[in-house]
Amino acid sequence: RRQGSQCAVPPFRSKSRTSTCEVFKKLDTGAGFLTLAEITQGVEMIWPHLEVPRSMILLAYNACKVHGGGKIRHAEFHQCLQWISYLDFAWEVLNSLNLNEARRMDVDQMIHACQSLEEWLEPDEIFDIFHELTQGGNSISFDQFCNWLLGRHVEPPIVDEEVDELEAVPPQVPEDV
């Protein structure tokens, strides 16, 4: 959890990293990364009982693409699942925001959203964060707010031995050389 976050966020509801690795391997077509369609299949495999809106998967996918250099490898897939788990927790509040047609929010809406999500920040702190995100502007996009929110609750992917093994594809050397 990020510094300053004190709200009670539900635990990541996924199987172990090993099982997400197995799902990744099943879905990977050999490229070493997953497409949006493959991630959607993975979400359905991991949480068959959960009806995850496509917009939620797309939001997590786009955020992970930014952090993963445009590719969703195993570490980003695991992070994407963490983000979907958090978004599932926060989705009702996020969808209840009274956004304008361009899906943008002002500082008062951000303060209200943070309070509704039990983010333990003072309005002055939220005001400062808002102005940092907007670089002095008067509104932020819904996606930008969600990315900031996710950054407070989901740690960046940690490359562990299992992920290293998955991503370290040995070079193919012909036997008759």
Side-chain angles (χ1 to χ4, degrees):
R1 184 176 305 188
R2 296 278 186 229
Q3 177 180 328
S5 176
Q6 298 174 356
C7 97
V9 177
F12 174 41
R13 297 170 312 159
S14 175
K15 299 172 183 169
S16 68
R17 186 178 280 272
T18 301
S19 65
T20 61
C21 186
E22 290 168 5
V23 169
F24 183 89
K25 287 178 184 178
K26 285 180 188 175
L27 296 171
D28 181 19
T29 59
F33 59 89
L34 301 181
T35 65
L36 176 59
E38 291 163 338
I39 289 172
T40 302
Q41 285 179 308
V43 168
E44 291 168 359
M45 290 169 75
I46 290 170
W47 296 306
H49 62 284
L50 190 64
E51 292 182 29
V52 179
R54 183 166 169 79
S55 55
M56 186 187 302
I57 296 171
L58 184 61
L59 183 65
Y61 171 77
N62 285 333
C64 286
K65 271 184 25 182
V66 169
H67 294 288
K71 307 257 191 238
I72 306 295
R73 293 178 213 80
H74 179 262
E76 290 81 21
F77 177 60
H78 190 75
Q79 182 184 40
C80 189
L81 295 173
Q82 289 179 315
W83 288 9
I84 290 168
S85 180
Y86 177 76
L87 285 170
D88 183 56
F89 160 74
W91 204 244
E92 186 176 326
V93 170
L94 295 173
N95 277 326
S96 71
L97 296 173
N98 189 16
L99 302 177
N100 63 24
E101 290 178 19
R103 293 181 46 88
R104 299 192 69 79
M105 60 194 314
D106 61 26
V107 70
D108 292 329
Q109 289 169 307
M110 184 170 170
I111 290 169
H112 173 71
C114 288
Q115 289 170 342
S116 297
L117 290 168
E118 298 180 14
E119 293 293 321
W120 300 109
L121 296 169
E122 294 297 321
D124 290 346
E125 292 175 285
I126 297 169
F127 185 83
D128 291 343
I129 292 166
F130 179 86
H131 284 287
E132 183 180 315
L133 291 172
T134 63
Q135 298 176 350
N138 59 5
S139 70
I140 60 172
S141 71
F142 176 74
D143 288 356
Q144 188 178 10
F145 172 71
C146 289
N147 285 340
W148 168 79
L149 190 63
L150 291 170
R152 287 178 48 80
H153 296 287
V154 179
E155 294 295 324
I158 298 170
V159 178
D160 59 18
E161 291 173 303
E162 185 178 355
V163 175
D164 290 341
E165 288 174 16
L166 180 65
E167 292 181 345
V169 178
Q172 299 295 322
V173 180
E175 292 179 14
D176 58 329
V177 173

